[in-house]
Amino acid sequence: MNSTLKRTAVACLAMFALLMVNVNYLQAVRAEGLSTDARNTRNFYDRYAVERGRITAGGKVIAQSVETDSTEFKFVRKYPEGELYAHITGFFSPESASAIEGTHNRLLDGSSSDLLLRRSIDLFTGEPTKGANVEVTIDPKVQEAAYDALRESGKRGAVVALEPKTGAILAMVSLPTYDPAELSLTDKSKVFPRYDELAKQKNQPLLNRTIDRTYPPGSTFKVVTMAAYLEDDTSRGPQTTVEAPQRLPLPNTNISLPNYGGAACGSGQVTLVFALERSCNTPFGKMGIELGYDKVQEQSVKFGMGEELAIPMGVAKSDFGPREDEAAVAMASIGQRSNQMTPLQMAMISAGIANEGTVMKPYLVKKVTDSKGDSIEDAEQEELSEAVSTETAAKLRDMMVSVVSNGTANRAQVPGVQVAGKTGTAETADGQPPHAWFISFAPAEDPKVALAVIVESGAANVGAEATGGGTAAPIGKAVMEAVLNK
């Protein structure tokens, strides 16, 4: 072989080697990036080539794919009662997905490794690939009751209801809401401007207020302070007497903590149950000072605050707040300092007391099945923490029942049912009217539902009707009745 042929052969081998390196680089190193690149039009059209699985709640379809007449897009996503379930289903847009549509995307579109057997069978039988179906724990009647009651308030807010013994989420409502169908079209020129418009709205309809935003908890946090106080000394109970001055001097300051509206709290010496019924500030501020930061913080953690939760959507962390002086601890003990809670966290506190002191891990997905109905994934109930002893939970339950029967939450009473609850009115730092809170569970003796309600700036007026008991408690009542009257 002459030198010219040798050089040609070497050059050809080098080019083949470079070609193989490039192929492997594209397929192994850059494959994920190219697949997800927004400029990849093949990926864009592939999103609509497979029939995504359904999302259902209590047998009701809340998201599904429908076949089209288009030559470009075989299937499009539809959302019956979209606004009612928007923050649960999420949307499936040309380049992204949210909520369940996002967390379970690979199951819904059939590409998950969990569906390998199903895909293999379909390939052998010649059937088209279909995605898995996701059933959520939401009860449609409870969801509708929560949505209607909160909407009637005319305010922004959130409602979340749990099954105390399992952690299953029965309702998850955030208002204002949006129509996921508007963000699930195939036309990017319509979807992207609409998303930007919703994202810029002051009311933030895309925000799931039940899990994505934290709020000062106001007086609903007093059940946590009370729990710490009872756990600190097991001889204490509902009839234990504590000091309740009209104003509590805060250590190392020239200010004092008043009760709501500057009112007196009984005679200045009251029982614990009376203090909770009337939601007096001064005895709880004094309890916080006596307990100290560590004990109240520790109790907060036992109820789940600071946990990395996913339901499967990620949940914003709730927090008692940083270590500060005694004056700050007094304020935090009544829910008015650095405390920040999601509505889900407050529902977990209520559920933990209802469940004899055990907090169950909340979850939203009940089961996942393939296109033929065979089970792929079933929810497993999981204990998150032991928040308080059974004895302390019973004492808290009795006192919360008295709050509804004799105290600030009397508008949450359900005929023939013992309801336990706690109201809250939380001052805000931005100069807006206070938020109205209510946490509750029922029936007290055998709880079927625990919940939290927040009405943003729901205490805009003066008087009892503007507090959590006047604004948020009736919403909680509607949700409890929906569960109990099934």
Side-chain angles (χ1 to χ4, degrees):
M1 184 182 292
N2 60 39
S3 60
T4 302
L5 287 175
K6 286 182 180 179
R7 287 195 295 270
T8 303
V10 170
C12 288
L13 287 172
M15 285 189 288
F16 273 113
L18 289 171
L19 180 62
M20 292 303 296
V21 169
N22 186 54
V23 167
N24 281 279
Y25 172 69
L26 290 174
Q27 291 184 345
V29 179
R30 294 195 60 201
E32 182 67 22
L34 291 171
S35 176
T36 57
D37 194 310
R39 296 168 295 177
N40 186 344
T41 57
R42 178 178 177 179
N43 184 58
F44 169 51
Y45 290 112
D46 283 350
R47 286 173 70 81
Y48 304 96
V50 175
E51 183 177 354
R52 285 172 71 82
R54 299 184 304 275
I55 303 175
T56 60
K60 177 180 287 191
V61 176
I62 59 177
Q64 63 182 333
S65 288
V66 177
E67 195 165 1
T68 73
D69 297 327
S70 170
T71 57
E72 295 180 320
F73 307 103
K74 190 171 182 181
F75 295 97
V76 293
R77 208 66 169 152
K78 298 293 183 182
Y79 300 89
E81 300 181 271
E83 292 188 354
L84 176 61
Y85 296 99
H87 295 100
I88 297 163
T89 62
F91 57 80
F92 179 70
S93 81
E95 293 180 4
S96 64
S98 69
I100 296 297
E101 292 276 29
T103 62
H104 283 59
N105 180 56
R106 292 181 64 83
L107 284 162
L108 288 164
D109 71 10
S111 64
S112 170
S113 59
D114 292 336
L115 293 167
L116 179 60
L117 178 60
R118 181 75 262 160
R119 290 199 302 272
S120 300
I121 295 172
D122 289 342
L123 181 64
F124 181 77
T125 59
E127 291 192 34
T129 298
K130 293 183 180 180
N133 301 313
V134 177
E135 182 179 347
V136 295
T137 57
I138 297 296
D139 184 315
K141 290 186 177 179
V142 183
Q143 181 78 2
E144 289 169 16
Y147 180 83
D148 291 341
L150 182 57
R151 186 175 57 175
E152 286 177 8
S153 74
K155 300 281 188 178
R156 302 183 304 271
V159 181
V160 59
L162 305 173
E163 192 172 67
K165 296 177 183 178
T166 66
I169 299 174
L170 303 176
M172 176 179 280
V173 172
S174 177
L175 289 181
T177 184
Y178 68 99
D179 183 358
E182 295 181 337
L183 303 181
S184 302
L185 302 172
T186 57
D187 189 343
K188 296 181 182 182
S189 67
K190 293 180 180 179
V191 171
F192 296 164
R194 180 55 178 157
Y195 180 89
D196 290 341
E197 181 183 342
L198 290 169
K200 291 175 182 176
Q201 287 184 14
K202 185 178 180 181
N203 285 341
Q204 296 180 283
L206 296 174
L207 181 71
N208 185 348
R209 288 166 161 79
T210 64
I211 60 173
D212 291 337
R213 169 169 286 181
T214 58
Y215 302 84
S219 291
T220 55
F221 191 81
K222 289 172 181 173
V223 299
V224 179
T225 304
M226 181 70 81
Y229 195 68
L230 295 173
E231 288 280 277
D232 188 55
D233 184 345
T234 57
S235 69
R236 293 168 179 155
Q239 299 306 316
T240 298
T241 301
V242 292
E243 292 182 23
Q246 190 165 351
R247 300 187 72 92
L248 176 68
L250 296 178
N252 302 314
T253 73
N254 57 1
I255 60 175
S256 58
L257 172 67
N259 293 308
Y260 181 74
C265 182
S267 61
Q269 289 280 337
V270 300
T271 60
L272 291 178
V273 65
F274 182 92
L276 198 67
E277 284 175 2
R278 304 301 171 89
S279 200
C280 300
N281 290 335
T282 59
F284 284 94
K286 199 170 190 312
M287 287 180 214
I289 293 171
E290 181 180 330
L291 290 166
Y293 174 87
D294 288 339
K295 289 181 179 179
V296 184
Q297 161 71 1
E298 181 182 349
Q299 184 63 69
S300 301
V301 170
K302 286 181 179 180
F303 275 111
M305 296 174 210
E307 284 283 340
E308 293 273 2
L309 291 176
I311 61 168
M313 297 92 82
V315 181
K317 282 187 179 182
S318 297
D319 188 19
F320 176 60
R323 181 183 298 277
E324 296 183 89
D325 59 19
E326 288 185 331
V329 173
M331 295 297 295
S333 297
I334 66 167
Q336 285 292 175
R337 181 68 180 185
S338 300
N339 332 46
Q340 289 290 313
M341 308 290 154
T342 61
L344 177 62
Q345 175 63 73
M346 295 311 301
M348 289 165 60
I349 291 170
S350 182
I353 297 168
N355 194 36
E356 299 183 332
T358 300
V359 180
M360 301 299 291
K361 188 176 181 179
Y363 65 97
L364 183 59
V365 174
K366 185 176 183 179
K367 69 166 70 171
V368 180
T369 58
D370 67 19
S371 58
K372 300 300 182 182
D374 294 327
S375 180
I376 296 172
E377 177 184 310
D378 290 288
E380 294 183 1
Q381 297 161 17
E382 182 181 344
E383 288 187 12
L384 182 67
S385 63
E386 286 291 334
V388 293
S389 68
T390 302
E391 293 75 20
T392 295
K395 295 172 185 177
L396 288 167
R397 177 199 63 209
D398 292 345
M399 286 191 277
M400 291 174 71
V401 167
S402 194
V403 170
V404 176
S405 300
N406 308 307
T408 58
N410 61 346
R411 291 190 64 184
Q413 293 180 24
V414 176
V417 178
Q418 269 200 334
V419 176
K422 182 68 189 81
T423 60
T425 304
E427 300 290 337
T428 62
D430 56 7
Q432 296 298 310
H435 300 320
W437 278 96
F438 181 59
I439 62 173
S440 184
F441 59 88
E445 65 279 6
D446 184 21
K448 300 294 190 295
V449 58
L451 58 84
V453 178
I454 184 169
V455 182
E456 291 185 16
S457 300
N461 303 311
V462 178
E465 293 302 302
T467 64
T471 306
I475 297 172
K477 175 184 178 181
V479 176
M480 287 185 283
E481 288 179 328
V483 175
L484 301 175
N485 292 339
K486 285 174 55 180

